[in-house]
Amino acid sequence: MTIKIGLVGTGTVGGGCLDILANHKEDFKRIYGLDLELVRVCSLDVEAAKAYGVEDIFTTDFHDVVNDPEVDMVIELIGGTTFARTLVTEALKAGKHVVTANKALMATYGEEVMGLAAEKGLEIAFEASVGGGIPIIDPLKHSLTANGISSVMGIVNGTTNYMLTRMAQEGLAYEDVLAQAQALGYAEADPTADVDGLDAAAKIAILASIAFHSRVTINDVHTEGIRNIKPMDLDAAAEMGYAVKLLAIADRTDQGISVRVHPAMLPLSHQLSNVNGVFNAIYVTGDFVGETMFFGEGAGAGAAASAVMGDVIEVARHIQMGCGPIVGCTCVDKLPIVPVEDLECRYYIRFTVADRPGVMAAMAGVFAQHGVSLYSVSQRGSDDAGEVSLSFVTHTVAEKDVRAALAEIAQLEDVQLDDPSVIRVVK
Amino acid sequence: MTIKIGLVGTGTVGGGCLDILANHKEDFKRIYGLDLELVRVCSLDVEAAKAYGVEDIFTTDFHDVVNDPEVDMVIELIGGTTFARTLVTEALKAGKHVVTANKALMATYGEEVMGLAAEKGLEIAFEASVGGGIPIIDPLKHSLTANGISSVMGIVNGTTNYMLTRMAQEGLAYEDVLAQAQALGYAEADPTADVDGLDAAAKIAILASIAFHSRVTINDVHTEGIRNIKPMDLDAAAEMGYAVKLLAIADRTDQGISVRVHPAMLPLSHQLSNVNGVFNAIYVTGDFVGETMFFGEGAGAGAAASAVMGDVIEVARHIQMGCGPIVGCTCVDKLPIVPVEDLECRYYIRFTVADRPGVMAAMAGVFAQHGVSLYSVSQRGSDDAGEVSLSFVTHTVAEKDVRAALAEIAQLEDVQLDDPSVIRVVK
């Protein structure tokens, strides 16, 4: 059976999709009986069209794809929530199935576009929006459905994992490793989306919605990044038997869904602690399956294109079988989002403070007033005269008490010289 | 929609399925709109039926399940290839969908039962046959379909992984850790299927068939177990920077499919090296997705039942959607099995030999005659007077040359006191 495809976006992932079709078109015919025929390609990059030899089906106007009556399925790879939202919406309204890698769109307007797809009896598939090539949305929507999922926890941003790995292994400073990541193309010129955790927030919103059957959007995610982390924090973690990772976490609690992105210390024996460099992994805990992990390349042309084209084949199979979408949105519940202030865990907090008598005592006093019980305190000198690093590790305490203590410490006169590094201890 | 289920087998996994239904029946209705109604339960264990409160629908004759016109789907959890084969065949002939956890059946008669299912337009789902609760068959059949898979490599037997982990971490002897595994219920009274690699062989045959689109049966798998491994082998591996695992490996080579189960040394930095105890993991390499790994509990009531009931929900959804099986057998190719003699890799080989002059020289001479180039040789004394351990690590050499050398060494008079421990170095 011939399935006609329109591709919008010829960047890294779009190029990977064109490569997959060039390499495996005949395999897909032989194995699955599916002839995936590319009938329209759209992007603003005319040179890319030439490089891939698709000038004859090329356009710079996505309406030419959406309005082409031949097209069965549109692949959206332009990203963002403006043009992409319009494109996906118009494609669905025109009766086309949609495959997208767009995490921002799905984490912000997921309900809208999935609702529209359901109304039209069409599919919108988005495996590539989380974890690059790692199958994670499909396992959550299929293999693991017999479970009540209690937790989804992942390293879902390759840029920050690469940075933290090199900072830990080589003692590089944040600024230096960021510059290197940018030079290698692992980080954008404006690294905000990665280093401040926004990319990871979109991904965990998508996974939480699927795992807990209740819509979670990117705005529900409490998000902290890695800007304040220094090599000394990673050293301190290693000494205590922990690795530091930027984790995206969604927990099902008695109160609802706790969903957040922040740097975290994980025991070195935990599987996620061994996930280094640009690799991603997602750890899923279910009431019957127990603990599972899905590991792989979280970014890159090939990996993301593998997920996109896997979705394309799946949608094509459903068309071939004459059946509708097997699983659409399953957000049948409306669970509350638990405020991050309700979190309880252990904290590592490191301050850069003025090196003078009484500072540690004053800070420890503030923690005590707020009921933040300390497990350990350590002081380390600095190369910069007049400043010193003070690290506190707490027992299990309430986030709201830690926040109140941090706010009060920030008010202590002439004490704090920089934003503190706050790393929650997980497990 | 109500889907009526007949369950055959109320052992560990069957009990897990009954527990899942007891816990989540209402969730499945609410989330998926599926009422999974158990209408028949069969086993030889009347006490189990009472314990689960299913006496009113209980039978000891599986024909009562297969011939019940109400039953839409049969879950086969009795294992083996005799009664199970008959049961699955009769169920399909009677028009019932089948979900099974039976690795031996699928690795031996996969073509037969999948062919019959296709002929009847029915599904036979078997996620639980490999890797317990780990989603691996579903990702290979769906998310990863855009790839040419080059390798599937896994720790797919929890018993031997538990044994090797404890031998490595605590220096326990094979016999002692086997006795403990038996006492804990991790190993059977007759441990042959686990320790000789037969269980793993069935699993890799199933995975290879799916990954390479060419039927591989358990008889195609070259299989070696862990009986000859001693703690000193694990120590030697650790000193060289390796972990020893019983690996099930299926490689796509230019010649065809190389499929085997044997102890292997893996670099400690490899993800599979960190998979310890009864956990399982499967490492899949594809031409676009790159390296991925699927980790989780490889055995146990809950994990395996999670996979079985995930399949049940999936088949039920297809019935609900009014569509046929999405993916049946995809073995469209007929690739040759590459003889293990054609393998080329590095080898660790440890002999227990008579402690007298000239032995090492004679053995090294035999290796040299057969073109087996040595990377290192080391000798270690023994508590037993008159014997000594001699370990050889080769460069990359041909398996057939190693075999010829081993055969000749075995003929050396009064030299070899025990079967050698042969561990291939992977990666």
Side-chain angles (χ1 to χ4, degrees):
Chain A
M1 182 177 203
T2 302
I3 306 289
K4 299 193 173 176
I5 296 168
L7 170 69
V8 185
T10 57
T12 311
V13 184
C17 293
L18 292 167
D19 288 338
I20 287 179
L21 279 172
N23 277 270
H24 290 310
K25 194 171 191 295
E26 294 307 313
D27 294 326
F28 300 155
K29 274 193 216 170
R30 191 180 82 256
I31 303 167
Y32 310 118
L34 289 172
D35 184 4
L36 303 182
E37 190 190 337
L38 197 65
V39 295
R40 273 299 199 180
V41 176
C42 169
S43 86
L44 300 178
D45 184 357
V46 182
E47 293 308 310
K50 286 184 191 158
Y52 284 103
V54 291
E55 299 107 305
D56 55 325
I57 54 170
F58 185 78
T59 174
T60 54
D61 181 353
F62 74 73
H63 293 95
D64 292 341
V65 180
V66 167
N67 296 327
D68 186 332
E70 271 210 319
V71 169
D72 298 305
M73 192 187 320
V74 173
I75 306 176
E76 182 275 302
L77 298 174
I78 56 175
T81 53
T82 53
F83 291 114
R85 183 183 176 195
T86 309
L87 162 61
V88 167
T89 303
E90 292 191 10
L92 291 168
K93 284 184 177 165
K96 321 295 189 195
H97 299 282
V98 171
V99 173
T100 176
N102 193 326
K103 57 190 171 275
L105 180 70
M106 296 310 295
T108 312
Y109 300 108
E111 187 168 6
E112 174 186 306
V113 294
M114 295 181 84
L116 180 58
E119 195 185 298
K120 298 279 178 184
L122 296 163
E123 306 215 33
I124 177 161
F126 49 97
E127 178 66 73
S129 65
V130 182
I134 305 170
I136 179 60
I137 290 176
D138 185 80
L140 283 173
K141 286 195 165 194
H142 297 275
S143 309
L144 298 175
T145 43
N147 292 270
I149 303 293
S150 56
S151 169
V152 178
M153 177 164 79
I155 295 168
V156 291
N157 181 269
T159 306
T160 47
N161 203 48
Y162 170 82
M163 290 173 64
L164 290 172
T165 300
R166 292 205 59 198
M167 286 170 72
Q169 290 177 351
E170 299 165 54
L172 292 174
Y174 171 84
E175 293 75 16
D176 296 335
V177 75
L178 174 59
Q180 291 187 25
Q182 285 169 326
L184 287 164
Y186 292 161
E188 308 278 338
D190 175 2
T192 307
D194 292 321
V195 301
D196 288 340
L198 307 174
D199 171 84
K203 292 167 178 169
I204 197 67
I206 293 169
L207 296 182
S209 299
I210 299 168
F212 305 133
H213 309 293
S214 178
R215 180 61 55 191
V216 175
T217 71
I218 189 169
N219 296 322
D220 294 324
V221 184
H222 172 78
T223 307
E224 300 171 23
I226 65 165
R227 286 188 199 258
N228 298 331
I229 294 193
K230 294 191 172 164
M232 75 173 82
D233 300 323
L234 306 179
D235 290 347
E239 277 169 29
M240 294 187 284
Y242 291 98
V244 175
K245 298 291 180 187
L246 181 66
L247 289 190
I249 303 174
D251 287 329
R252 179 73 172 90
T253 76
D254 292 341
Q255 284 71 47
I257 299 173
S258 170
V259 59
R260 54 200 201 270
V261 173
H262 55 66
M265 289 195 189
L266 269 172
L268 289 170
S269 60
H270 195 283
Q271 284 291 322
L272 284 175
S273 291
N274 301 310
V275 175
N276 290 319
V278 295
F279 280 96
N280 280 198
I282 299 108
Y283 208 85
V284 179
T285 307
D287 55 356
F288 282 88
V289 77
E291 302 180 32
T292 60
M293 188 178 82
F294 302 84
F295 164 94
E297 295 183 18
S306 161
V308 170
M309 293 305 298
D311 274 348
V312 167
I313 291 171
E314 202 59 27
V315 173
R317 278 173 169 166
H318 297 173
I319 299 173
Q320 187 183 32
M321 297 291 302
C323 66
I326 305 296
V327 196
C329 176
T330 60
C331 291
V332 295
D333 295 331
K334 285 196 184 298
L335 297 171
I337 302 296
V338 181
V340 71
E341 288 76 10
D342 290 2
L343 192 66
E344 294 202 344
C345 68
R346 294 173 60 207
Y347 293 78
Y348 162 93
I349 308 165
R350 195 243 325 129
F351 300 88
T352 305
V353 295
D355 184 14
R356 56 180 171 72
V359 166
M360 185 196 284
M363 295 172 80
V366 174
F367 279 125
Q369 277 164 36
H370 290 278
V372 176
S373 163
L374 299 175
Y375 168 74
S376 71
V377 182
S378 80
Q379 177 170 332
R380 211 188 281 213
S382 163
D383 293 341
D384 295 317
E387 73 174 51
V388 69
S389 287
L390 266 181
S391 308
F392 298 85
V393 178
T394 73
H395 287 290
T396 298
V397 293
E399 172 94 17
K400 64 176 185 304
D401 294 334
V402 171
R403 290 180 168 231
L406 290 179
E408 191 170 329
I409 287 169
Q411 299 303 316
L412 292 179
E413 210 169 329
D414 296 335
V415 164
Q416 205 169 304
L417 304 176
D418 205 348
D419 285 337
S421 168
V422 179
I423 308 179
R424 293 170 186 81
V425 182
V426 170
K427 296 275 155 180
Chain B
M1 184 177 201
T2 302
I3 306 290
K4 298 192 174 177
I5 296 167
L7 170 69
V8 185
T10 57
T12 310
V13 184
C17 292
L18 293 168
D19 287 338
I20 287 178
L21 280 173
N23 277 269
H24 290 311
K25 195 172 193 291
E26 294 306 313
D27 294 326
F28 300 155
K29 275 195 217 171
R30 192 180 83 256
I31 303 167
Y32 309 118
L34 289 171
D35 185 5
L36 303 182
E37 191 190 338
L38 197 66
V39 294
R40 274 300 199 179
V41 175
C42 169
S43 88
L44 300 178
D45 185 357
V46 182
E47 292 308 310
K50 284 184 192 160
Y52 284 103
V54 291
E55 299 107 306
D56 53 327
I57 54 171
F58 185 77
T59 173
T60 54
D61 182 353
F62 74 73
H63 294 94
D64 292 340
V65 179
V66 167
N67 296 327
D68 186 333
E70 271 210 317
V71 169
D72 298 305
M73 193 187 318
V74 174
I75 305 176
E76 181 275 302
L77 298 173
I78 58 177
T81 53
T82 52
F83 291 114
R85 184 184 177 196
T86 309
L87 162 62
V88 166
T89 304
E90 292 193 10
L92 291 168
K93 285 184 175 163
K96 321 294 189 195
H97 299 283
V98 171
V99 173
T100 175
N102 193 327
K103 57 190 170 276
L105 179 71
M106 295 310 295
T108 313
Y109 300 108
E111 189 167 6
E112 174 186 304
V113 294
M114 292 180 86
L116 181 58
E119 193 185 299
K120 297 280 177 185
L122 296 164
E123 307 216 33
I124 176 161
F126 50 97
E127 179 66 75
S129 65
V130 182
I134 305 170
I136 178 62
I137 290 176
D138 184 81
L140 282 173
K141 287 196 163 194
H142 298 274
S143 308
L144 298 175
T145 44
N147 291 271
I149 304 293
S150 56
S151 170
V152 178
M153 178 165 79
I155 296 167
V156 290
N157 181 269
T159 305
T160 47
N161 203 48
Y162 169 83
M163 290 173 65
L164 290 172
T165 300
R166 292 204 60 197
M167 286 170 73
Q169 291 177 350
E170 299 165 53
L172 292 173
Y174 171 84
E175 294 75 15
D176 296 336
V177 75
L178 175 59
Q180 290 187 26
Q182 286 169 324
L184 287 164
Y186 292 160
E188 308 278 339
D190 175 1
T192 306
D194 291 320
V195 301
D196 289 338
L198 307 173
D199 170 84
K203 292 168 178 169
I204 197 66
I206 293 169
L207 295 182
S209 301
I210 299 169
F212 305 133
H213 309 293
S214 179
R215 180 62 54 192
V216 175
T217 71
I218 189 167
N219 295 324
D220 295 323
V221 184
H222 171 77
T223 307
E224 300 171 23
I226 65 164
R227 285 188 200 259
N228 298 331
I229 295 195
K230 293 190 173 165
M232 73 173 82
D233 301 323
L234 306 179
D235 289 348
E239 276 167 29
M240 294 187 283
Y242 292 99
V244 175
K245 298 291 179 187
L246 181 67
L247 288 190
I249 303 175
D251 286 330
R252 180 72 173 87
T253 76
D254 292 341
Q255 284 71 46
I257 299 172
S258 170
V259 58
R260 54 201 201 271
V261 173
H262 55 67
M265 288 194 192
L266 269 173
L268 289 171
S269 59
H270 195 284
Q271 284 292 322
L272 284 174
S273 291
N274 300 310
V275 175
N276 290 318
V278 295
F279 280 96
N280 278 200
I282 298 108
Y283 208 85
V284 180
T285 307
D287 56 355
F288 283 88
V289 76
E291 302 181 33
T292 60
M293 188 179 82
F294 303 82
F295 164 93
E297 295 183 18
S306 161
V308 170
M309 293 306 297
D311 274 348
V312 167
I313 290 170
E314 202 59 27
V315 173
R317 278 172 169 166
H318 297 173
I319 300 173
Q320 186 184 32
M321 297 289 305
C323 66
I326 305 295
V327 196
C329 177
T330 59
C331 291
V332 295
D333 296 330
K334 286 196 184 295
L335 298 171
I337 301 297
V338 181
V340 71
E341 287 75 11
D342 291 0
L343 193 65
E344 294 202 344
C345 67
R346 295 174 60 208
Y347 294 76
Y348 162 94
I349 308 164
R350 196 245 321 131
F351 300 89
T352 306
V353 296
D355 184 13
R356 56 180 171 74
V359 166
M360 187 194 284
M363 296 171 80
V366 175
F367 279 124
Q369 278 164 35
H370 290 278
V372 176
S373 163
L374 299 175
Y375 167 75
S376 71
V377 183
S378 80
Q379 176 170 331
R380 210 189 281 214
S382 164
D383 292 341
D384 295 318
E387 71 175 52
V388 69
S389 288
L390 266 180
S391 308
F392 299 83
V393 177
T394 74
H395 287 289
T396 297
V397 295
E399 171 95 16
K400 63 178 186 304
D401 294 334
V402 171
R403 290 180 170 232
L406 289 180
E408 192 170 329
I409 286 169
Q411 300 302 318
L412 292 179
E413 210 167 330
D414 296 336
V415 165
Q416 204 169 305
L417 304 176
D418 205 349
D419 286 337
S421 166
V422 179
I423 308 180
R424 294 171 186 82
V425 181
V426 171
K427 294 276 158 179

